[in-house]
Amino acid sequence: MNNKKVQAEIKHSHCVYLPDFELPANCCDCHHHIFDRRYPYSADDKRNLPNATVSEYGEFRDWLGFTRHVLVQPSSYGTDNRCLIDALQAFGPNARGEAVVTDATSDNELDVLSRAGVKGIRFNFGAGSVTTPEMLLPLAARVAERGWHVQVHANASQLWELRSLLRQVPGRLVIDHFFRLPQPQPKEHPVWKLAWDLIDSGRCWVKLSALYHQSQRDDVSDMAGMVKTFLNEATERVLWGSDWPHPNLISANKKMPDDALILSKIFHWASNDRIRHKLFVENPAQLYGFNASSSR
């Protein structure tokens, strides 16, 4: 991995396409990461990802024109949430966090995370997770008492294997990256029905993030039908996230996306101002606890 080249792409990839849209006030990016090599990666980390810092994300945020955002603990740090906590402090009241914890995490540690602005915990079954399916329900019960949610990242086949547990999660549930439904026929996968069962329960949100995970086109235009269905039929339960700085693409040495172009696609697929306001403002405010003054 050429870290200098990757670093330049992280900083400048969002400048390829000039935005042709204006986001509503208090728009929220519900999924991004911070990598800061001042905080050591876990011993079993194999990706060795470069810095993607608070200041670099600030430039990205200001370029696209949103103000609120949610930091997601990357797998590189395991359960060491210090980078997340410090980044939340640096960003201030317009930021929230999703941490990684295990069944060994104490209530005092959860209190520290809560004071920092954490509103949920993440299970990443897609890349080097320290959490296991067996931890899902016990941890979900603990954080539900705090009003937090559980977020799950897994591919469609893994989600199908987890379907019984997902249906039992107490409290609120968030599924990363549009359930990782495969192209070109996402609606033929059994997880399509599972997605709607969970959404129809009234307690599940879906992140329309990282469309490039399954898209077969640089402009993600092949995702239009699926994304429009979520936007139109699950308007109360959709979220958007940039997935900046796109760690899976970096580790796989793949081309970086044009973030502004992808966001433009989603903005226009949300066909009217009501849906856009739900997607970018109201749904994140409800889930992550933002209010009119953006104070914690």
Side-chain angles (χ1 to χ4, degrees), residues 135-160:
M135 297 180 190
L136 182 59
L137 295 183
L139 281 173
R142 288 179 65 189
V143 302
E145 295 175 354
R146 296 171 175 268
W148 293 7
H149 61 270
V150 168
Q151 178 171 307
V152 175
H153 176 222
N155 64 40
S157 296
Q158 291 170 318
L159 290 171
W160 183 245

Side-chain angles (χ1 to χ4, degrees), residues 201-253:
S201 73
R203 58 181 185 82
C204 179
W205 282 255
V206 55
K207 284 189 177 181
L208 303 178
S209 49
L211 300 184
Y212 39 78
H213 272 307
Q214 307 298 148
S215 177
Q216 299 173 1
R217 301 178 187 172
D218 287 347
D219 68 356
V220 302
S221 57
D222 55 336
M223 308 293 280
M226 181 192 68
V227 172
K228 287 179 180 179
T229 301
F230 279 127
L231 288 168
N232 290 325
E233 299 184 24
T235 305
E236 305 288 334
R237 293 290 178 264
V238 287
L239 306 162
W240 167 76
S242 68
D243 196 38
W244 187 93
H246 323 297
N248 284 14
L249 299 184
I250 297 172
S251 61
N253 199 28

